[in-house]
Amino acid sequence: TPVSTAIIGAGIAGIACARALQAHGLPVRLFDKARGPGGRMSSRRLTEATVDLGAQFFSVRDPAFRREVKAWRQAGVVATWPEALWEASTSGWQRHQDGVERWTGVPRMSAVTRHMAEELEVVTDTRIECLEPEEQRWWLVDQHEERHGPFDRVVLAMPSPQARTLLQGHEPSLADECKAIIQRPCWAAWACFDAPLPSLPGVDDDWQAVRLAAATGQPATRDPLRFVSRNDSKPGRHGQGESLSLMARLEWSEEHLDLDDETAARRLLEAFREHLPSSVELPEPTSLGAHRWRYAQPDVFAGGEAVNLDHRRSPAGLALCGDGWRGPRVEDAWLSGHHLGEALAADAP
Ligand code: FAD
């Protein structure tokens, strides 16, 4: 029988790994604790609007990833966005031109991972709490103590602190690799409006996204906001109400991790107000909320791309992938999963 693989984590890294294995005819099953695939590329459908909770867009640099994105575009699940980025600082709002190609999911970010997972077996609402070895194979035990398996191989496709917990007692060398990668938290808020946003002097009315420059002269822990996007300006969402996604600075998030959702959202919206000219009145939101991402973004990695694949796999059949092994972006997560899947397929007996 062909080598069977369980992948824990149906974010883009786990899904990319699964697709590479499946393309080589190897059986694979994904598990995720959430209601659907997507991980940090997930979106929330509210009555007023659909908001992206994690990544707002992604850039493309690597040729293999570019080919993949081309296939997504042909399937209609991505489009380029934003057309222009703005940068807000004490000297006002400026258009930011850098020539980088940026894309987003259509009609929401989670459309990408949904599309990729269409032909994969994904077991959702299933949190894997421990791994049990048995005769060179692995059983997965979930939150209801139900056992899944056995599998020849298990890929942990999740942020390193979560992977480390599962590795405890099994694979000290891989657990140590996980320890070297710090995943920092991030608050991500949204606010919906039933009136259009006011015009800003010198800024296009249809501005799509703005990066907020770090405030000078005060510590980053007191500077809440780093990025704001208008969800209704994204492709495939025209006609829905005005809504903002507001991403917090990592330093501020670390310092304010214990806030409740509503307070975090209010603080981020207030910070956005402060970036508008005093003559401009932002309407009151009709609803707002926030998501606390505990493991949002890997910090500068010990090895970066140099983290050799061999350091992320064990002879006992365990392996690791995810953005943390490569870099802080969607592209890194995809490449990490794709390359691991190719390597595992290459040495399947
Ligand atoms: P994840 O997407 O985190 O997937 C891991 C999955 O594992 C999750 O679905 C989780 O539910 C599951 N899981 C964890 N533990 C278990 C368990 N025990 N059992 C079962 N399932 C489990 N990148 C960009 O390129 N551009 C951006 O603009 C951008 N903005 C971002 C903004 C925010 C707020 C955040 C949080 C991230 C952003 N990123 C951005 C980063 C990007 O989203 C990530 O790099 C990428 O999505 C990570 O994918 P992944 O598959 O490695 O991990």
Side-chain angles (χ1 to χ4, degrees):
T1 52
V3 173
S4 62
T5 306
I7 299 184
I8 312 175
I12 194 158
I15 294 175
C17 183
R19 283 176 62 111
L21 289 165
Q22 189 161 290
H24 287 89
L26 296 169
V28 49
R29 194 181 305 163
L30 284 145
F31 295 85
D32 205 290
K33 62 187 163 78
R35 261 187 301 167
R40 280 171 277 160
M41 289 173 77
S42 61
S43 311
R44 187 166 300 180
R45 278 188 261 186
L46 307 165
T47 41
E48 302 93 332
T50 298
V51 296
D52 295 325
L53 292 179
Q56 302 295 305
F57 60 75
F58 55 86
S59 47
V60 179
R61 293 171 174 86
D62 177 272
F65 186 56
R66 174 161 290 123
R67 284 193 293 278
E68 177 76 6
V69 173
K70 192 171 164 203
W72 297 345
R73 187 177 48 119
Q74 278 158 358
V77 295
V78 295
T80 51
W81 183 94
E83 273 157 43
L85 261 183
W86 291 79
E87 206 151 80
S89 68
T90 41
S91 46
W93 286 45
Q94 254 114 34
R95 225 175 227 283
H96 173 79
Q97 284 317 6
D98 58 10
V100 175
E101 189 184 321
R102 294 185 173 87
W103 298 79
T104 196
V106 178
R108 53 190 165 274
M109 193 51 110
S110 62
V112 178
T113 41
R114 285 219 182 245
H115 166 72
M116 292 172 76
E118 256 162 27
E119 274 151 38
L120 295 168
E121 195 185 333
V122 188
V123 184
T124 53
D125 297 301
T126 304
R127 176 197 296 271
I128 303 304
E129 298 196 329
C130 74
L131 307 177
E132 284 179 6
E134 187 188 276
E135 292 171 8
Q136 293 171 20
R137 304 186 87 195
W138 293 95
W139 289 92
L140 276 46
V141 185
D142 72 16
Q143 76 270 35
H144 307 298
E145 287 177 39
E146 197 180 314
R147 281 155 53 97
H148 306 265
F151 298 94
D152 298 304
R153 287 164 170 172
V154 180
V155 173
L156 309 182
M158 61 186 71
S160 48
Q162 293 168 323
R164 205 174 144 220
T165 314
L166 284 173
L167 288 167
Q168 232 127 51
H170 298 301
E171 211 67 66
S173 65
L174 292 189
D176 280 351
E177 293 286 333
C178 290
K179 206 156 88 180
I181 297 169
I182 295 160
Q183 288 271 356
R184 302 178 69 185
C186 178
W187 273 109
W190 67 85
C192 302
F193 304 89
D194 60 6
L197 293 187
S199 296
L200 304 177
V203 180
D204 298 347
D205 270 347
D206 55 358
W207 67 270
Q208 298 173 323
V210 60
R211 211 181 256 161
L212 295 315
T216 45
Q218 74 169 354
T221 48
R222 286 207 225 123
D223 183 13
L225 197 56
R226 67 167 157 156
F227 190 81
V228 175
S229 71
R230 289 169 93 176
N231 288 299
D232 52 304
S233 78
K234 293 175 183 169
R237 302 193 209 187
H238 295 296
Q240 70 178 33
E242 182 87 63
S243 75
L244 299 176
S245 281
L246 306 117
M247 304 289 130
R249 230 171 265 290
L250 303 182
E251 295 83 354
W252 185 87
S253 301
E254 269 153 5
E255 193 84 3
H256 297 85
L257 206 57
D258 295 332
L259 292 182
D260 61 85
D261 299 359
E262 162 124 13
T263 310
R266 289 211 173 278
R267 295 281 297 274
L268 290 170
L269 190 61
E270 192 47 45
F272 181 57
R273 265 199 193 101
E274 284 167 17
H275 280 278
L276 303 176
S278 53
S279 57
V280 171
E281 188 84 34
L282 195 68
E284 266 306 299
T286 50
S287 75
L288 88 181
H291 184 84
R292 182 198 291 113
W293 294 102
R294 255 180 214 290
Y295 305 114
Q297 192 174 309
D299 211 350
V300 190
F301 340 86
E305 289 185 40
V307 177
N308 192 309
L309 260 183
D310 293 338
H311 297 163
R312 295 201 264 124
R313 301 161 61 184
S314 80
L318 301 182
L320 300 158
C321 68
D323 60 352
W325 303 103
R326 208 171 184 287
R329 303 188 181 91
V330 167
E331 175 170 28
D332 297 305
W334 184 87
L335 284 166
S336 147
H338 178 73
H339 288 153
L340 177 66
E342 291 287 327
L344 291 174
D347 59 31

